[in-house]
Amino acid sequence: MATEAAVPGPASGPGDSPEGPEADAPERRRKAHGMLKLYYGLSEGEAGGRPSGPDPLDPTDLNGAHFDPEVYLDKLRRECPLAQLMDSETDMVRQIRALDSDMQTLVYENYNKFISATDTIRKMKNDFRKMEDEMDRLATNMAVITDFSARISATLQDRHERITKLAGVHALLRKLQFLFELPSRLTKCVELGAYRQAVHYQGRAQAVLQQYQHLPSFRAIQDDCQVITGRLAQQLRQRFREGSSGAPEQAECVELLLALGEPAEELCEEFLAHARGRLEEELRALEKDLGPSPPAPDVLEFTDRGGSGFVGGLCQVAAAYQELFAAQGPAGAEKLAAFAWELGGRYFELVERRLAQEQGGGDNSLLVRALDRFHRRLRAPGAPLAAARLTESATEIVERVARERLGHHLQGLRAAFLGCLTDVRQALAAPRLAGKEGPSLADLLANVASSILSHIKASLAAVHLFTAKEVSFSNKPYFRGEFCSQGVREGLIVGFIRSMCQTAQSFCDSPGEKGGATPPALLLLLSRLCLDYETATISYILTLTDEQFLVQDQSPVTPVSTLCAEARETARRLLTHYVKVQGLVISQMLRKSVETRDWLSTLEPRNVRAVMKRVVEDTTAIDVQVGLLYEEGVRKAQSSDSSKRTFSVYSSSRQQGRYAPSYTPSAPMDTNLLSNIQKLFSERIDVFSPVEFNKVSVLTGIIKISLKTLLECVRLRTFGRFGLQQVQVDCHFLQLYLWRFVADEELVHLLLDEVVASAALRCPDPVPMEPSVVEVICERG
Amino acid sequence: MEDDAPVIYGLEFQARALTPQTAETDAIRFLVGTQSLKYDNQIHIIDFDDENNIINKNVLLHQAGEIWHISASPADKGVLATCYNKTSDSRVLGCAAVWRMPKELESGGHESPDDSASTTQTLELLCHLGSAAPSNVACVTWEPMGDGKKVITLADNHILLWDLQESSSQAVLASSASLEGKGQLRFTSGRWSPHHNCTQVATANDTTLRGWDTRSMSQIYCIENAHGQLVRDLDFNPNKQYYLASCGDDCKVKFWDTRNVTEPVKTLEEHSHWVWSVRYNHSHDQLVLTGSSDSRVILSNMVSISSEPFGHLVDDDDVSDPEEHHTEEKSKEPLQDNVIATYEEHEDSVYAVDWSSADPWLFASLSYDGRLVINRVPRALKYHILL
């Protein structure tokens, strides 16, 4: 076993040897592993993750360079059993055979190639030898040629120098000729109108003539030239002044004149004057479009025309000016700025007038597009006109228009609201056809609410165009901040809600005294509308607005709660007013009935008076009306179980208790005392007290007002016996039918008892009717 | 501040009629007329002892009928006029008469409050203010500054001016005017203006206020629809000749300038039911008292339309006493129009309120259940006005 262990030793040793000297602890460990692995037939690469492949130095590797047959055989013999030896022997023999046949094939295949290669090499050897001879001959010929060439150049040397000199003279002569011909050339150019060419020539000659002006001949030329140039300049000026030519040509003229050395200052003035003339023409054309008659082209066309005509012209002028008079420095720039400022101002004036005509119109998108064109046009010139601050002015105009537009929309919304109200009035006033019910209040309310909401949304959408991304001015700070928050949110939406509340409140203020101008149903409807606004619509609208117009402005805005409070207050006032108006109607009925009757000589009551039936009918109608819009509300618990039957028993027993003392001829003090004690324990009734937002509260208010009126009227009259009995009957009837409408039926009892008590006091001969009889009469209807 | 507490006096009967004893300028004295159909009606003469806070009363029988309105002569302490209802076989007649009270009661007889003796006293009838034709007299008003010889009664749709002759024992109809129009027009209330030499009277019928000239008995001005509903009462500003206040069933008190009758100068809406009575303070006309059937009495401070507005001189034609001139010179903080106090001592409708003729800081209010309450203007305000 010791030998077996020794064999892998040398085998692995050489593989590890390169890192031997520095082998540290892990390396050593790996070596130990390596030995074990070798022993178990694992390759070190597989296990250790080292670069795999057979070790090139392994003497047992058949394909390796260091193969040692002895070692291999030795190893085989030692390691393998006989069967395996046999196998490897056959295997090896087979491999050897295969190798032999492969070698044979290779040799066959390459043999021919070797033969032909050998032939080729031999042929090449022959050819090269021939070429060497030729090359030798060429060398000798070249030497002869060089020799000849040197001789020729030597002979030609002095001639060459003379030719160069002659060429120089020729060039000089040509220049001189140009100078001498210059006057005539210039004249020709001027005649032909080739001003640019002429100026070009003049420019070229100028310096030379200047330099040699002490020579008489040159001087003459210069004089001629100056005369011609003068004429040229004059012609140019003439052309420039004619003004018929377009801006580019004029610019050219000015450029040429400048090149001719004309004074820039003067030219600059003239240039601007001409430009002014042209631009003013544009403005006049625009003004004509404006006209006193209705403007023919729409606003978009107008701004387009203005943009391309005037602004384009202005830009051209500015660009040309800057190009031409750049040398003028800041003074020139200022002049241009002043020029642009003045004309721009006039242009803006026209645009504003045109836009003002547009204010009434409804098409927002067209306006916004026009404004966009207008603004974009003016922004385009940008740099050249920056000094004139036209862009800022344009932005200001756009802002102003936007503001006016907001005002216009607010106006529109108000008008729409008033329109809705008119519609409602008409619907309410429209005569009900027999059997045909008109639209119910709830429907009307829904109509009004939705129509207002859609108007608001339409307005928002229209105004939203101003902030659309593709509009050139939408990213101005005004449109990002103030327009959204102060303009749209505060001015338009909050303003509208406020004005709505005000309009609604004005119905309370303008007293219905003048014949009840406002139908009560409208009051009720408005009240509900305001309440709806308080509960939901306001916050919805504001959220919508905030979402559409991402308000980035930090300025304080009206909080939703404030608006809601306002709306609620309005709703409350309207409802209170409604109660007053309806209460008044019933009061008037009751009052007339008490005042116009002769209570002393009335007959014994057989019936409930028609007025009372009418009161109950009207109250029922009001109940239905209010019920359409308002919730039921809470009653005192006791009413739920009180039925007609128990109620009448209760009331009659009560009556007996109350009236008894006053019928006995005892001291009248007792009555007062009793009623005073009674009052001490009952709460003070606030007759015209504010109501809550429910049906019961509204009805309670109306009934309170009516009954209090009845009480006061009864106190002003004197009753006979039957008069008192009639009042008794009437009150019982009211008691039977009114309790169901109110929050606290005790209230109705209290008031009606007081009415009957007062009537008893106002009766010199108070003999009350039997409660049972009263009941019978009332039940009979 | 024990004297700031209200003093309450109870009558046995229902009552609507209240007036100060106008001719009395030293003692605080009110007259109250009762309404009873079954018993003899009474006139209570109520003396208020300001120092001791005690009420003395004397009762006079008024057997003619229940009293709807009462007014005292401005010249003679013992003379008063009442409007009363007489019921006779299923007819109710509204009459008016001038009465004289017994001499010893004129300046507050100081009998013991034991009423068993005092009930026996009876008013002495001076004269009836009634024509032959039966009519319902709603209101009697005396010429405010005169010698107690002229009286106006409002009966149905007639204004009747009476001359009282032979120490008021005879009433002669001096002149009259009638209101013509559709329907049954009835005057509800009227006041005689203390200005213009007492030649103007204002009346209310339904929702309309009218001014009359007593010399020609013709209409001077007319405020149509002064209130949304019935006008219940009106009063003249004692210091500003064109100003008057009115109140009515629309729960409002309105102040008018009779030169411009299209719009009220000011409107108050503090009461929660009909306002039955409105009275200017006799000297400090910013103090306005109102009584309403919501059982409340409200004292308001109407500085902005008074004759003593802050920082303004008194108008030349204003009748003002030296005291007010004194106040004018002092600089004081501007006062806002506001409600000074709401008095809730009553438990039934208050039909009448009035200031004392003797003490400008004291007033009485009367509710239907017969409760008379005497109150004072809050001290702080009093000093504020005076100093």
Side-chain angles (χ1 to χ4, degrees), chain A residues 148-168:
Chain A
F148 271 110
S149 160
R151 262 190 288 164
I152 286 167
S153 57
T155 40
L156 284 180
Q157 183 65 36
D158 55 337
R159 290 210 188 165
H160 176 72
E161 272 168 20
R162 272 169 58 199
I163 285 169
T164 317
K165 212 165 158 188
L166 281 175

Side-chain angles (χ1 to χ4, degrees), chain A residues 584 591 672 688 712 762, chain B residues 12 66 229 249 272 349 351:
Chain A
L584 182 62
R591 175 193 205 143
N672 285 340
F688 288 103
E712 293 295 339
R762 299 295 310 151
Chain B
E12 294 89 348
E66 50 169 5
Q229 301 171 54
D249 287 1
S272 70
S349 305
Y351 293 133

Side-chain angles (χ1 to χ4, degrees), chain A residues 449-483:
Chain A
S450 66
S451 129
I452 294 175
L453 200 59
S454 66
H455 272 110
I456 289 179
K457 279 183 180 163
S459 286
L460 278 180
V463 173
H464 196 247
L465 291 173
F466 279 102
T467 60
K469 274 220 173 54
E470 65 273 12
V471 176
S472 63
F473 47 77
S474 64
N475 58 354
K476 294 277 169 203
Y478 169 73
F479 282 97
R480 294 167 70 86
E482 200 194 331
F483 178 78

Side-chain angles (χ1 to χ4, degrees), chain A residues 340-638:
Chain A
W341 176 246
E342 193 207 325
L343 286 172
R346 284 172 53 191
Y347 171 61
F348 289 155
E349 204 178 299
L350 289 176
V351 170
E352 279 202 88
R353 270 167 61 192
R354 182 66 186 84
L355 288 171
Q357 287 174 351
E358 205 61 23
Q359 264 324 312
D363 193 354
N364 231 15
S365 65
L366 194 67
L367 182 69
V368 170
R369 266 168 60 206
L371 283 175
D372 181 36
R373 291 276 168 86
F374 165 69
H375 188 259
R376 206 184 285 273
R377 263 290 178 180
L378 274 170
R379 214 175 39 156
L385 292 175
R389 304 209 320 281
L390 290 183
T391 322
E392 283 88 335
S393 306
T395 313
E396 266 168 36
I397 288 179
V398 172
E399 284 177 18
R400 205 149 47 230
V401 170
R403 276 198 197 102
E404 275 165 20
R405 208 65 208 157
L406 284 177
H408 176 75
H409 276 288
L410 179 58
Q411 234 32 56
L413 281 178
R414 282 189 187 146
F417 179 58
L418 290 181
C420 284
L421 291 190
T422 317
D423 289 351
V424 172
R425 264 169 195 271
Q426 275 167 358
L428 289 175
R432 299 275 148 83
L433 296 171
K436 186 89 173 159
E437 267 296 299
S440 78
L441 274 182
D443 292 346
L444 283 175
L445 176 68
N447 283 348
V448 171
S450 66
S451 129
I452 294 175
L453 200 59
S454 66
H455 272 110
I456 289 179
K457 279 183 180 163
S459 286
L460 278 180
V463 173
H464 196 247
L465 291 173
F466 279 102
T467 60
K469 274 220 173 54
E470 65 273 12
V471 176
S472 63
F473 47 77
S474 64
N475 58 354
K476 294 277 169 203
Y478 169 73
F479 282 97
R480 294 167 70 86
E482 200 194 331
F483 178 78
C484 293
S485 69
Q486 293 304 313
V488 176
R489 192 182 188 278
E490 292 297 288
L492 188 62
I493 299 304
V494 176
F496 170 66
I497 293 172
R498 285 232 162 100
S499 94
M500 199 178 101
C501 289
Q502 267 162 14
T503 312
Q505 287 210 1
S506 70
F507 286 114
C508 309
D509 297 334
S510 69
E513 296 161 13
K514 304 199 168 92
T518 322
L522 180 64
L523 291 175
L524 191 66
L525 187 134
L526 279 176
S527 153
R528 182 70 221 193
L529 183 68
C530 288
L531 192 65
D532 285 348
Y533 265 70
E534 190 255 2
T535 46
T537 318
I538 286 181
S539 64
Y540 169 69
I541 294 175
L542 284 185
T543 316
L544 190 74
T545 314
D546 289 346
E547 271 170 10
Q548 277 193 18
F549 299 86
L550 292 169
V551 176
Q552 298 159 337
D553 202 16
Q554 293 307 311
S555 59
V557 290
T558 317
V560 178
S561 57
T562 318
L563 273 186
C564 285
E566 273 173 39
R568 193 178 180 83
E569 172 64 17
T570 308
R572 199 188 55 69
R573 281 190 61 183
L574 283 166
L575 198 61
T576 309
H577 192 64
Y578 172 77
V579 168
K580 269 192 192 178
V581 170
Q582 293 287 34
L584 182 62
V585 171
I586 295 181
S587 296
Q588 293 291 22
M589 222 150 49
L590 286 167
R591 175 193 205 143
K592 283 271 145 51
S593 80
V594 175
E595 278 179 358
T596 53
R597 197 178 171 98
D598 183 359
W599 290 98
L600 274 175
S601 52
T602 182
L603 296 173
E604 189 170 3
R606 297 267 170 241
N607 282 311
V608 178
R609 286 189 301 148
V611 175
M612 296 302 160
K613 292 181 183 162
R614 181 79 197 285
V615 166
V616 171
E617 274 168 25
D618 280 12
T619 315
T620 316
I622 292 170
D623 183 60
V624 170
Q625 194 177 52
V626 178
L628 287 175
L629 293 184
Y630 278 100
E631 296 76 26
E632 182 72 21
V634 275
R635 292 167 196 277
K636 286 261 173 82
Q638 66 190 56

Side-chain angles (χ1 to χ4, degrees), chain A residues 8 35 63 82 91 116 149 221 229 233 236 285 377 417 429 472 514 545 552 577 643 661 675 698 705 729 764:
Chain A
M35 285 195 262
N63 299 325
L82 180 65
D91 190 34
S116 67
S149 160
I221 290 170
T229 314
L236 278 173
R377 263 290 178 180
F417 179 58
S472 63
K514 304 199 168 92
T545 314
Q552 298 159 337
H577 192 64
S643 67
S675 81
V698 169
I705 292 172
V729 169

